Amino acid sequence: MAQKPSLPKGVRDFGPEQMFRRNYLLDTIKGVFKKYGFMPLETPAIENLSTLTGKYGDEGDQLLFKILNSGDFLSKTDASDFEAGAKELSKKITEKGLKYDLTVPFARYVVMNQNDITFPFKRYQVQPVWRADRPQKGRYREFYQCDADIIGTNSLVCEAELMAMVNEIFCKLELKDYQVSISSRKILEGLADVIGATDKFSAFCVILDKLDKIGLEKMLEEMSQLGIPKSGLDRLTAILELEEDNTDKIETLRKVFIGSEVGIEGLNEVETTLKHMTSLGVAHDKTHFDLTLARGLSYYTGIIYEVKPTSVKMGTITAGGRYDNLTGVFGLEGVSGVGISFGVDRIYDVLDELNLFPSNQLGSTKVMITNFDETCLEHALGLSSRLRNNNVNCEVYPEPAKMKKQLGYANKKNIPFVVMVGQEEIDTNIYTVKNMEDGEQHKQTMLELIDFLATQ
Amino acid sequence: MAQKPSLPKGVRDFGPEQMFRRNYLLDTIKGVFKKYGFMPLETPAIENLSTLTGKYGDEGDQLLFKILNSGDFLSKTDASDFEAGAKELSKKITEKGLKYDLTVPFARYVVMNQNDITFPFKRYQVQPVWRADRPQKGRYREFYQCDADIIGTNSLVCEAELMAMVNEIFCKLELKDYQVSISSRKILEGLADVIGATDKFSAFCVILDKLDKIGLEKMLEEMSQLGIPKSGLDRLTAILELEEDNTDKIETLRKVFIGSEVGIEGLNEVETTLKHMTSLGVAHDKTHFDLTLARGLSYYTGIIYEVKPTSVKMGTITAGGRYDNLTGVFGLEGVSGVGISFGVDRIYDVLDELNLFPSNQLGSTKVMITNFDETCLEHALGLSSRLRNNNVNCEVYPEPAKMKKQLGYANKKNIPFVVMVGQEEIDTNIYTVKNMEDGEQHKQTMLELIDFLATQ
């Protein structure tokens, strides 16, 4: 008996409707990447486990999909390997895995091709990655990442350009309601300095990051337990209650951060980035200098930012920051860079919820030509060829079928126009064009028809 | 010590230059797919092994990349499984694998979504597939397939449209020297009938397929050993020596095939396909009705075809045919279809060898703006914003650096124009534009500059 097919948990098919929408989304993003001089890169799905392991922490290591060695994968094992358990055995029977993100393969690429790359190197990469996570709503085992990075320069122009790209991409996607939060890791270090938490930096950040969830009072309580003095906490409270605009906030903090060199550096970074953004024509109304922003502190070393929609309940849809040492783990020191990652699945859901996908996304076919019998068919094929020569996407219904069936097909495929080709049309060279949206019909000569459809 | 990174055998990075060329190639193909009404589909890299196993023969099964189950993959095994050897153990520790081609996942998709799909269903799919093959020149373990199929209709219009697509794609790619061979499985069955090899069909085809390699005499010898009578072999020789054009060959064979119903059917198929191709405006000079064409006979049931370049030494670059039962293995009977597959890697190599890739494929950036100091930088950023608003892809060099270094960057990235922004330019609002190809410099106002670059 034939098997009933199924998909593994956590992976998805993208049918035509989703593909049209995903392509609209990804093509918009890629178009802006190119506008700013980013170049495409693709790395393979399969990497050596030696490249991947140890780069994502213990939890990440456990989420790597490992590929069983080909052929007799047991040839180099014996019973003792089996007895040592899954973790030990896996080292002997797997050498390759599926990539977990785009950053580590990018770093590997840069190191392997360092002599051929022109720095500063601006690359974008839009590819699937794989994680053996427990699948749940919005979390998949195979999903696309969409990254742009500039490496080989410390210039804050890069940060500002990435922000300008965010602005342009969401503008093109007509997503108006979002907020960009921007800060620097150095701002957090400055904060820690001035409240007496310099030596408790990580723990301080973890608690600060919970502010939104647990509220000010509970946050202060936890910080107090951490050993931060009351005077420090009072100072922190005052700082967090600042409701000034970005420029004033920077000025106020210049006074607060006196004595913390790193804090002042952080302020300079944010200030310069905002200045460049202004030069790039980015209005500041969506940009919020957020002192509590604390993301990716295990790898980000400078400016950090994240984007959240404000009219839809959804987490971060885009985020990134500057890192000091992308390629050090592969032996190439001193390569600083800054990157951004667009959360494709989440942005898709936001556009869907706000009804922002262009209509008529199901098909790219503009016109279907009917097929009534053998004579009409040859004529229809000739017409289709002329239309395609004029760059009109079209289809001939492949079988002679009842009108209703053919129109139903065009309808389901969202094809906006149908051209009828019967004996009368062949004799007179005047065609009937049906607008599938309003049902109206018009008669047109071949040239009129081509003109009409080529400009629709 | 940091590790020296490497790539697994048989997989590749595609850097910017290759990506620009691959995108040119794939976008050309996809554009034509859409012009004929095909819709995009993507299926995941990861499939259940139950979906993949047994679909590609024993050899194919061995070439599947299997993914080790997550977590404690040994939990359902005991020592006896280990002793049973790799093949048996793999069944207990792997459930998923990487897709081996695009056809089986497509069939799975169709069966799982049969109630939502509008038939005839025209889909295209351009995705990587994986095979644990021994890597060698031109054979990779991860490579793209590029397929288009129409399913749910027996109409030969589909075959003809696929041939028209071949014509249009290679025309757009400016690849002029190629030959399309077309035939039908039924022609081979007809041949077998009329030479007395009806009951030795497979073996007959295997030997016939070797004609090019071993020559007529050796081929006849092998067929004789197979037990085909001398009278049959004489007849075959006469048929193979036919040097008529397609139409005459069909007429001649109509007499030869009297008595073989299937042979006559095959002739009708080829004749109708050629007629539809004529209606579609495809010149026949590149199409050769090739009686010895014998490909994919384990699954093709009707028209078969393949495309080979004629001015480059290279095998088949595109091929396909009609199959009767795509989805039967998953329980959905009676779905006939016809498909075509473009060999992306080989076509890439052909275009490369014939120097047919458009020049200036390394970059999409049209202009770089210099960066001399802080004041100039802000002005440059403003200019970049205006240029981008006019859809000019541009970059600002991120750091103040020596002119030579900045021009070197533009040169290596193949950026055709550089705009100098110094104090004089800011004061006068007249910019110096350097054409990087001929080295010439011109002075232009901002508006002239925008007009000039937007139309380059």
Side-chain angles (χ1 to χ4, degrees):
Chain A
M1 214 194 84
Q3 60 177 130
K4 200 177 164 205
S6 65
L7 264 184
K9 273 183 202 146
V11 306
R12 295 165 286 174
D13 290 319
F14 298 115
E17 191 166 2
Q18 282 165 295
M19 281 300 293
F20 280 117
R21 292 172 162 212
R22 286 176 68 86
N23 284 343
Y24 161 74
L25 172 57
L26 294 176
D27 289 347
T28 301
I29 298 176
K30 288 180 199 169
V32 174
F33 286 169
K34 284 183 212 161
K35 220 170 175 182
Y36 285 76
F38 289 78
M39 301 193 291
L41 172 71
E42 279 189 16
T43 63
I46 298 178
E47 293 275 357
N48 286 322
L49 282 172
S50 58
T51 298
L52 302 174
T53 309
K55 310 303 188 297
Y56 308 105
D58 286 347
E59 200 195 345
D61 282 352
Q62 281 168 31
L63 298 183
L64 292 173
F65 277 116
K66 294 173 182 172
I67 295 168
L68 196 62
N69 292 344
S70 302
D72 182 10
F73 58 88
L74 289 178
S75 64
K76 285 174 192 161
T77 64
D78 58 36
S80 70
D81 295 307
F82 187 73
E83 281 153 22
K87 198 171 169 187
E88 288 306 308
L89 181 61
S90 81
K91 293 176 191 165
K92 300 236 170 164
I93 63 176
T94 61
E95 280 164 12
K96 296 180 285 289
L98 296 180
K99 68 174 176 247
Y100 180 89
D101 73 355
L102 302 180
T103 306
V104 167
F106 174 48
R108 175 197 52 69
Y109 174 83
V110 170
V111 173
M112 287 176 67
N113 297 276
Q114 52 186 293
N115 297 325
D116 301 318
I117 291 173
T118 307
F119 294 97
F121 183 44
K122 300 170 114 173
R123 86 87 173 79
Y124 72 84
Q125 196 169 350
V126 183
Q127 289 194 279
V129 300
W130 292 266
R131 295 181 185 182
D133 235 328
R134 187 177 297 274
Q136 50 179 267
K137 191 177 177 305
R139 188 195 287 166
Y140 304 99
R141 293 183 148 187
E142 174 173 336
F143 60 97
Y144 270 75
Q145 287 194 336
C146 176
D147 289 8
D149 290 78
I150 311 164
I151 61 166
T153 170
N154 293 308
S155 167
L156 291 162
V157 166
C158 307
E159 276 84 341
E161 283 192 336
L162 294 178
M163 294 299 97
M165 284 159 60
V166 165
N167 180 60
E168 190 161 340
I169 285 168
F170 289 124
C171 178
K172 277 188 196 297
L173 294 172
E174 295 183 26
L175 178 65
K176 294 187 185 77
D177 302 327
Y178 65 89
Q179 189 179 56
V180 179
S181 299
I182 185 167
S183 186
S184 168
R185 177 207 177 88
K186 291 169 187 159
I187 297 289
L188 294 168
E189 292 182 17
L191 278 180
D193 282 352
V194 297
I195 69 167
T198 307
D199 58 343
K200 307 177 181 70
F201 180 65
S202 297
F204 161 70
C205 290
V206 169
I207 302 174
L208 183 69
D209 194 39
K210 293 196 285 188
L211 174 60
D212 272 354
K213 276 181 211 143
I214 62 179
L216 185 65
E217 205 169 325
K218 186 94 179 76
M219 185 198 80
L220 293 172
E221 196 182 309
E222 290 193 17
M223 287 195 180
S224 176
Q225 283 163 8
L226 188 66
I228 299 177
K230 172 116 186 15
S231 60
L233 294 180
D234 289 345
R235 212 166 180 187
L236 181 63
T237 306
I239 294 170
L240 294 179
E241 281 171 350
L242 286 176
E243 286 194 353
E244 301 164 305
D245 67 18
N246 296 336
T247 317
D248 292 344
K249 202 187 280 178
I250 291 171
E251 283 322 303
T252 305
L253 285 174
R254 283 203 181 281
K255 294 164 207 148
V256 176
F257 279 179
I258 287 174
S260 168
E261 202 179 321
V262 67
I264 297 292
E265 257 181 60
L267 288 174
N268 290 341
E269 285 179 359
V270 174
E271 189 175 43
T272 304
T273 303
L274 292 173
K275 185 176 71 175
H276 290 334
M277 285 169 67
T278 305
S279 295
L280 283 166
V282 182
H284 281 208
D285 58 325
K286 291 189 165 61
T287 310
H288 174 60
F289 173 23
D290 179 359
L291 299 174
T292 67
L293 187 61
R295 58 175 306 120
L297 297 178
S298 58
Y299 40 94
Y300 290 138
T301 52
I303 291 285
I304 46 179
Y305 38 77
E306 64 179 27
V307 184
K308 285 181 179 169
T310 48
S311 61
V312 179
K313 213 175 159 181
M314 176 74 75
T316 304
I317 54 176
T318 295
R322 177 170 289 274
Y323 39 82
D324 257 0
N325 194 4
L326 175 71
T327 52
V329 68
F330 295 123
L332 181 63
E333 300 291 340
V335 176
S336 172
V338 55
I340 194 159
S341 188
F342 288 81
V344 178
D345 285 311
R346 285 185 172 184
I347 298 173
Y348 183 101
D349 287 346
V350 170
L351 297 185
D352 200 24
E353 189 169 335
L354 295 174
N355 217 1
L356 291 177
F357 282 111
S359 58
N360 191 18
Q361 278 296 318
L362 178 52
S364 53
T365 301
K366 197 173 282 171
V367 55
M368 187 197 82
I369 308 173
T370 59
N371 177 352
F372 295 132
D373 60 34
E374 225 170 281
T375 319
C376 297
L377 171 59
E378 299 307 324
H379 195 90
L381 292 174
L383 178 58
S384 76
S385 164
R386 294 203 51 176
L387 286 169
R388 290 192 191 108
N389 286 343
N390 287 277
N391 283 318
V392 176
N393 295 359
C394 74
E395 298 183 45
V396 176
Y397 195 81
E399 296 171 355
K402 286 195 177 148
M403 180 73 110
K404 195 181 162 188
K405 190 174 179 189
Q406 298 190 41
L407 291 179
Y409 171 84
N411 205 35
K412 278 188 199 144
K413 267 191 91 167
N414 235 6
I415 299 174
F417 299 100
V418 170
V419 174
M420 320 279 181
V421 176
Q423 195 55 52
E424 196 190 315
E425 279 81 4
I426 298 176
D427 293 341
T428 60
N429 262 314
I430 305 225
Y431 301 91
T432 308
V433 189
K434 187 183 176 78
N435 182 324
M436 292 298 286
E437 209 157 310
D438 59 20
E440 279 191 36
Q441 300 195 168
H442 296 279
K443 288 197 179 287
Q444 294 184 313
T445 65
M446 166 100 66
L447 286 181
E448 286 168 345
L449 185 65
I450 290 173
D451 269 2
F452 172 70
L453 291 171
T455 53
Q456 283 298 305
Chain B
M1 214 195 82
Q3 59 177 128
K4 200 175 162 207
S6 64
L7 265 184
K9 273 184 203 148
V11 307
R12 294 165 287 173
D13 290 320
F14 298 115
E17 189 166 5
Q18 281 166 300
M19 281 300 293
F20 280 117
R21 292 173 160 212
R22 286 177 67 88
N23 285 343
Y24 160 75
L25 172 57
L26 293 176
D27 289 347
T28 302
I29 297 176
K30 287 180 197 169
V32 173
F33 286 169
K34 285 184 211 157
K35 219 171 178 183
Y36 285 77
F38 288 78
M39 301 193 292
L41 172 71
E42 279 189 15
T43 63
I46 298 178
E47 294 275 355
N48 287 319
L49 282 172
S50 58
T51 298
L52 302 174
T53 310
K55 309 304 188 297
Y56 308 104
D58 286 347
E59 200 196 343
D61 282 353
Q62 282 169 27
L63 298 183
L64 292 173
F65 276 116
K66 295 173 182 174
I67 295 168
L68 196 63
N69 291 343
S70 302
D72 182 9
F73 59 88
L74 288 177
S75 64
K76 283 173 193 161
T77 63
D78 56 36
S80 71
D81 295 306
F82 187 73
E83 282 153 20
K87 198 172 170 187
E88 287 308 306
L89 181 62
S90 80
K91 292 176 192 165
K92 301 234 170 164
I93 62 176
T94 62
E95 279 164 14
K96 296 182 284 289
L98 295 180
K99 68 174 177 250
Y100 180 88
D101 73 357
L102 303 179
T103 307
V104 167
F106 174 49
R108 175 197 51 70
Y109 174 84
V110 169
V111 173
M112 286 176 68
N113 297 277
Q114 53 186 290
N115 297 324
D116 301 319
I117 291 173
T118 308
F119 292 97
F121 182 45
K122 299 170 115 172
R123 87 87 174 77
Y124 72 83
Q125 196 169 348
V126 183
Q127 289 193 277
V129 299
W130 293 267
R131 296 183 185 179
D133 236 327
R134 186 177 299 274
Q136 49 178 265
K137 190 176 179 304
R139 187 195 287 165
Y140 304 99
R141 291 182 150 188
E142 174 173 335
F143 59 98
Y144 270 75
Q145 288 194 334
C146 177
D147 289 7
D149 290 78
I150 312 164
I151 60 164
T153 172
N154 293 308
S155 168
L156 291 162
V157 167
C158 307
E159 277 84 341
E161 283 191 335
L162 295 178
M163 294 298 96
M165 285 158 61
V166 165
N167 180 59
E168 191 162 338
I169 286 168
F170 289 123
C171 179
K172 277 186 198 298
L173 295 173
E174 295 184 25
L175 178 63
K176 294 187 185 84
D177 300 327
Y178 65 89
Q179 188 178 55
V180 179
S181 299
I182 185 167
S183 185
S184 169
R185 177 207 177 89
K186 290 170 188 158
I187 297 289
L188 294 168
E189 292 182 17
L191 277 181
D193 282 353
V194 298
I195 68 165
T198 308
D199 57 342
K200 306 174 181 73
F201 180 66
S202 298
F204 161 71
C205 290
V206 169
I207 301 173
L208 183 69
D209 194 39
K210 293 195 284 188
L211 174 59
D212 272 355
K213 275 181 215 145
I214 62 178
L216 184 67
E217 205 169 325
K218 187 94 178 72
M219 185 198 80
L220 292 172
E221 195 184 309
E222 288 193 19
M223 287 196 181
S224 176
Q225 282 163 7
L226 188 66
I228 298 176
K230 170 115 186 14
S231 60
L233 295 180
D234 289 346
R235 212 164 180 186
L236 180 64
T237 307
I239 294 169
L240 293 181
E241 282 172 352
L242 286 176
E243 287 194 352
E244 300 164 306
D245 68 18
N246 296 336
T247 317
D248 291 345
K249 202 186 278 178
I250 291 171
E251 284 323 303
T252 304
L253 286 173
R254 282 203 184 280
K255 293 165 207 147
V256 177
F257 279 179
I258 287 174
S260 169
E261 205 178 320
V262 68
I264 297 292
E265 259 181 59
L267 288 174
N268 289 341
E269 285 179 358
V270 174
E271 189 176 41
T272 304
T273 303
L274 292 173
K275 186 175 69 175
H276 290 334
M277 285 168 67
T278 305
S279 295
L280 283 166
V282 183
H284 282 209
D285 57 326
K286 291 190 165 58
T287 312
H288 173 60
F289 173 22
D290 178 359
L291 299 173
T292 65
L293 187 62
R295 58 175 304 123
L297 297 177
S298 57
Y299 40 93
Y300 291 137
T301 52
I303 291 286
I304 46 180
Y305 38 77
E306 66 178 25
V307 184
K308 285 181 178 167
T310 48
S311 60
V312 180
K313 212 175 161 185
M314 177 73 76
T316 303
I317 54 176
T318 295
R322 178 169 288 275
Y323 39 81
D324 256 359
N325 193 5
L326 175 71
T327 53
V329 69
F330 296 124
L332 181 63
E333 299 289 341
V335 176
S336 173
V338 56
I340 194 159
S341 190
F342 287 82
V344 178
D345 285 312
R346 286 186 172 184
I347 297 173
Y348 184 100
D349 288 345
V350 170
L351 297 184
D352 201 22
E353 189 168 337
L354 296 175
N355 217 0
L356 291 176
F357 281 111
S359 58
N360 192 19
Q361 278 298 314
L362 177 53
S364 53
T365 301
K366 197 174 283 172
V367 55
M368 188 197 83
I369 308 173
T370 57
N371 178 352
F372 295 132
D373 59 35
E374 225 171 279
T375 319
C376 297
L377 171 60
E378 299 306 325
H379 195 91
L381 291 174
L383 177 60
S384 76
S385 165
R386 294 202 52 177
L387 286 171
R388 289 192 192 109
N389 287 343
N390 287 278
N391 284 318
V392 176
N393 295 0
C394 74
E395 296 182 46
V396 176
Y397 195 81
E399 297 170 354
K402 289 199 175 139
M403 179 72 109
K404 194 180 165 191
K405 189 173 180 190
Q406 298 192 41
L407 291 179
Y409 172 83
N411 204 34
K412 278 190 201 142
K413 266 191 94 169
N414 233 7
I415 299 174
F417 299 99
V418 169
V419 175
M420 321 279 180
V421 175
Q423 196 55 51
E424 194 191 316
E425 279 80 5
I426 299 176
D427 292 341
T428 59
N429 261 314
I430 304 220
Y431 301 92
T432 307
V433 189
K434 188 183 176 76
N435 181 325
M436 292 297 285
E437 209 157 312
D438 57 21
E440 281 191 30
Q441 298 196 168
H442 295 279
K443 290 199 177 285
Q444 295 185 313
T445 65
M446 167 100 67
L447 286 181
E448 285 169 344
L449 185 65
I450 290 173
D451 269 2
F452 171 69
L453 291 171
T455 52
Q456 283 299 307

